[in-house]
Amino acid sequence: MHLNPYGEYAVLMAASLADDWPEDRAGIEARTREFGMTMDFAEASGDHRRTRGVIDEWLRIVDAGEPGERARLLNDLMAQATAYPRLTDHGQEGWHIHYRDEANDSLPDVLRAVISVGTALHLTTRGIHRLSRCAAGQTDGDPCVAVVVDVTRNGRQRYCSVRCANRAAVRRHRARRSSPAR
Ligand SMILES: [Zn+2]
Ligand SMILES: [Zn+2]
């Protein structure tokens, strides 16, 4: 598998798992295929639950707005991944770096390594603030808890979708109209 220079696919995969959690292990594996991973994972009975744990830890990084705290949580996650980087050229993919332990190909452990390093690449190359929850959901009573991975050129994506951006715009408009200061 490749981690492109920006770590983009790994972060988008983590967001997809967080936003739309698969109901079983096969669903998680299918999601890794969707995002371009090609490897086979060793199967263990706790895979589904343990992968959920990895995603929950990753969501703490998403929710840590302060850069120092965000870095600390991410460093913790990378430390648990335990591997040193290795050059590999399996499957005619060309030489690339793996950040995971070659001896451990369990689904949760590989995803922890790929997602944590991918997130570190994303935040350091694109910008430390380019990972958040959808801004629409930050208004009381709004149900959106989706993750926003900002890979836009200008780095100003705040909403997970056009629908959420529109809902927030309507709210702002109503707030202005009912404001006594108009
Ligand atoms: Zn690879
Ligand atoms: Zn949203």
Side-chain angles (χ1 to χ4, degrees):
M1 90 207 72
H2 277 128
L3 280 174
N4 72 34
Y6 298 114
E8 193 169 308
Y9 96 84
V11 192
L12 292 170
M13 177 176 68
S16 167
L17 287 169
D19 293 345
D20 180 18
W21 176 240
E23 63 185 23
D24 56 21
R25 185 188 184 284
I28 301 171
E29 226 173 2
R31 199 70 59 83
T32 69
R33 303 278 178 260
E34 262 175 58
F35 282 85
M37 293 181 75
T38 54
M39 69 176 288
D40 295 318
F41 302 96
E43 194 155 351
S45 60
D47 283 349
H48 186 256
R49 175 182 52 77
R50 287 188 58 223
T51 303
R52 181 66 237 184
V54 171
I55 296 301
D56 286 339
E57 283 187 72
W58 181 76
L59 282 171
R60 293 177 60 208
I61 296 163
V62 173
D63 289 331
E66 197 274 307
E69 174 69 359
R70 169 166 279 188
R72 190 185 65 74
L73 291 168
L74 184 50
N75 283 339
D76 284 351
L77 200 60
M78 284 195 285
Q80 291 173 48
T82 65
Y84 56 84
R86 292 166 171 87
L87 285 178
T88 175
D89 73 342
H90 65 90
Q92 278 121 40
E93 286 186 33
W95 287 101
H96 59 284
I97 300 176
H98 277 183
Y99 299 90
R100 59 188 173 78
D101 189 342
E102 301 287 281
N104 180 354
D105 56 355
S106 94
L107 182 63
D109 294 311
V110 171
L111 290 189
R112 181 189 289 112
V114 167
I115 288 170
S116 62
V117 175
T119 301
L121 289 170
H122 171 74
L123 294 176
T124 52
T125 53
R126 299 257 199 208
I128 193 76
H129 296 293
R130 283 174 172 245
L131 183 64
S132 60
R133 300 275 188 164
C134 175
Q138 276 147 38
T139 299
D140 280 349
D142 190 290
C144 188
V145 292
V147 175
V148 175
V149 179
D150 187 352
V151 296
T152 62
R153 187 187 286 264
N154 66 15
R156 297 208 193 101
Q157 188 184 345
R158 297 178 58 225
Y159 301 99
C160 71
S161 60
V162 171
R163 211 179 50 187
C164 276
N166 288 343
R167 191 167 66 251
V170 166
R171 268 200 305 257
R172 278 197 302 277
H173 182 68
R174 285 198 188 124
R176 269 200 303 276
R177 282 203 317 189
S178 63
S179 156
R182 72 183 169 183

